Amino acid sequence: MNKKNILLGVTGSIAAYKAAALVRLLVKEGAEVKVLMTNAAKQFITPLTMATLSKHPVQVEFFDPENGDWNSHVKLGLWADVLLIAPASANTIGKMACGIADNLLLTTYLSARCPVAVAPAMDMDMYAHVAHQQNLSLLRLRGVHVIEPPFGELASGLQGQGRMAEPEVIARQAQAILSKKVNLSGRHFLVTAGPTCESIDAVRFIGNHSSGKMGYAIAEELAWRGARVSLISGPVHVSVRHPGIALYRVSSAQEMYEAAARLFPDADGAVMAAAVADFTPESRVEGKLKRGKSAIAITLTPTKDIAAYLGSIKKKNQILAGFALEADNERTNALKKLREKKLDFIVLNSLTDPNAGFNVDTNRVCIMDKDGREVAGELKSKVEVAKDIVDKLSEWAAEH
Ligand code: CTP
């Protein structure tokens, strides 16, 4: 965010106190921050606090009544590389949707030529109200980035969706907007992640070492770039940080198949990052298998190949990406999977590199597409690998 100009609009909400932390974070990341407040916002946090943290005077009124000094909303709009409104009250969002211009923040919004993002903050029933939701939809249609509020405890003590996203989430979204990579708005992607668990009895299962980190990093990168994401995840210990990701928790390969088959027809594409079990016990033992002296045999039957199924129903305007984890003949096997599962590209992981693949934070991959293009990457963090994979999806989205 070095030297980027961020205009932060603060409106009247109890979450205004979090705007102070947001300013600190943005300034620490190297951004120039100027703050605009509504009169209602001043009831929740003082201009002095915001001016001290941002190192610029806070602007509230159109002009200073003492000396007539004019705060030009046009100049402010031109100065900003991004306009963030956090917290954004239902009132301000409603006025933005209607084009009402009765304060400096709203006139600046109407004059601004830069990208705009709002982080709504309000009671859960207000947030869910159809009038407010229609206002948000209208803003989304006009290209405003909506940083969804997460579910959690509200100022009223109730639990629900409406509290403002955390400053770290808003700062990360601003970063994505500033890097001009938010080009997946209006797109819907499906991501599978983590292992599957195939039950043997009530307490035992066949699983694998997949941590889910790669799939979760891809889901988050897609969401930061504006896509709606449905993440189908096997049991993992990582959590979703982006509030815009819909998480579908599953356990077995069959459950993952059912969720993917249901969600894929509505998606623009899918990334199959899950380590799906290829076999499952033919029957599950009721209760717990008792220890015995003789060997037992468990008959395993093949599971459904989810990627191959999605490949078989894929329409022309959908993209499908998969992973290949190979111990030998890496390229040949990966290309075979690319063809057989009708993937558009495949991400080859090597089992021979100790810093890549399962249960580590780094990965080294080679991305191969159906047109014969191949890009072999360095050892990188899974977050960086996710960016490379999402770059490939963004290229496709730009053409479709
Ligand atoms: N995959 C899937 N459903 C399965 C098995 C695999 O969707 N039942 C997907 C994986 O998510 C991955 C790709 O298919 O994107 C390749 O998975 P991989 O385990 O490398 O290959 P398999 O097809 O399972 O073949 P093998 O294990 O024999 O190499």
Side-chain angles (χ1 to χ4, degrees), residues 296-308:
I296 60 159
I298 299 170
T299 306
L300 300 176
T301 55
T303 56
K304 294 202 177 78
D305 186 330
I306 307 168

Side-chain angles (χ1 to χ4, degrees), residues 237-253:
H237 298 291
V238 276
S239 49
V240 185
R241 286 174 307 161
H242 194 292
I245 298 174
L247 178 64
Y248 297 84
R249 289 182 204 278
V250 296
S251 182
S252 64

Side-chain angles (χ1 to χ4, degrees), residues 147 182 202 214 240 260 332 380:
I147 308 169
V182 183
M214 193 64 250
V240 185
T332 315
K380 296 178 182 179

Side-chain angles (χ1 to χ4, degrees), residues 67 98 118-119 132 161 164 202 221 226 285 298 319 328 333 343 346 356 360 362 365 367 375 399:
N67 57 19
C98 294
V118 292
H132 175 67
Q161 190 179 16
M164 188 177 83
E221 188 58 29
V285 174
I298 299 170
I319 183 165
D328 47 41
N333 286 337
L343 305 175
I346 194 156
V360 288
T362 47
V365 302
I367 302 179
V375 181
E399 291 162 14

Side-chain angles (χ1 to χ4, degrees), residues 91-379:
N91 184 40
T92 292
I93 288 170
K95 288 178 178 178
M96 287 167 76
C98 294
I100 292 172
D102 65 356
N103 64 33
L104 184 64
L105 173 56
L106 289 162
T107 46
T108 306
Y109 161 65
L110 289 173
S111 329
R113 294 184 187 165
C114 61
V116 179
V118 292
M122 65 203 71
D123 167 67
M124 61 197 233
D125 293 315
M126 279 175 89
Y127 184 73
H129 197 283
V130 66
H132 175 67
Q133 286 300 322
Q134 281 179 348
N135 288 336
L136 278 183
S137 303
L138 207 55
L139 292 185
R140 277 195 197 94
L141 267 178
R142 294 182 193 149
V144 172
H145 303 276
V146 177
I147 308 169
E148 302 277 345
F151 285 84
E153 192 176 334
L154 299 155
S156 58
L158 296 171
Q159 295 276 340
Q161 190 179 16
R163 58 188 272 178
M164 188 177 83
E166 291 306 313
E168 293 74 20
V169 171
I170 300 171
R172 174 80 199 260
Q173 183 66 69
Q175 201 173 33
I177 294 169
L178 287 167
S179 64
K180 300 208 169 36
K181 283 195 160 174
V182 183
N183 61 345
L184 294 175
S185 300
R187 302 285 187 163
H188 174 206
F189 284 94
L190 189 70
V191 179
T192 64
T196 62
C197 291
E198 308 305 318
S199 293
I200 297 169
D201 64 12
V203 292
R204 301 180 181 93
F205 62 86
I206 300 171
N208 61 63
H209 291 298
S210 169
S211 62
K213 285 177 183 166
M214 193 64 250
Y216 275 59
I218 294 167
E220 289 199 342
E221 188 58 29
L222 283 163
W224 292 120
R225 298 199 200 182
R228 182 159 71 86
V229 182
S230 299
L231 173 62
I232 307 174
S233 172
V236 291
H237 298 291
V238 276
S239 49
V240 185
R241 286 174 307 161
H242 194 292
I245 298 174
L247 178 64
Y248 297 84
R249 289 182 204 278
V250 296
S251 182
S252 64
Q254 179 64 22
E255 286 170 12
M256 190 173 273
Y257 163 79
E258 284 166 16
R262 182 163 46 83
L263 292 163
F264 186 63
D266 170 57
D268 292 286
V271 183
M272 316 305 287
V276 188
D278 289 326
F279 297 94
T280 190
E282 191 175 43
S283 57
R284 183 184 144 157
V285 174
E286 287 305 319
K288 191 174 163 229
L289 258 177
K290 292 305 271 180
R291 174 197 283 273
K293 292 247 175 326
S294 49
I296 60 159
I298 299 170
T299 306
L300 300 176
T301 55
T303 56
K304 294 202 177 78
D305 186 330
I306 307 168
Y309 173 70
L310 299 191
S312 73
I313 61 164
K314 182 173 68 127
K315 293 192 235 62
K316 272 208 179 74
N317 58 353
Q318 288 180 304
I319 183 165
L320 184 61
F323 275 75
L325 183 65
E326 303 297 337
D328 47 41
N329 291 327
E330 300 179 350
R331 278 191 73 255
T332 315
N333 286 337
L335 288 170
K336 189 164 169 260
K337 281 178 192 166
L338 176 84
R339 267 192 321 274
E340 288 178 355
K341 296 180 196 243
K342 297 200 176 70
L343 305 175
D344 294 283
F345 68 90
I346 194 156
V347 183
L348 169 62
N349 273 313
S350 169
L351 254 181
T352 49
D353 190 330
N355 296 313
F358 277 162
N359 247 331
V360 288
D361 290 330
T362 47
N363 211 354
R364 186 200 305 276
V365 302
C366 175
I367 302 179
M368 305 191 268
D369 71 20
K370 66 174 192 298
D371 301 319
R373 280 180 294 231
E374 224 175 283
V375 181
E378 302 290 306
L379 186 71

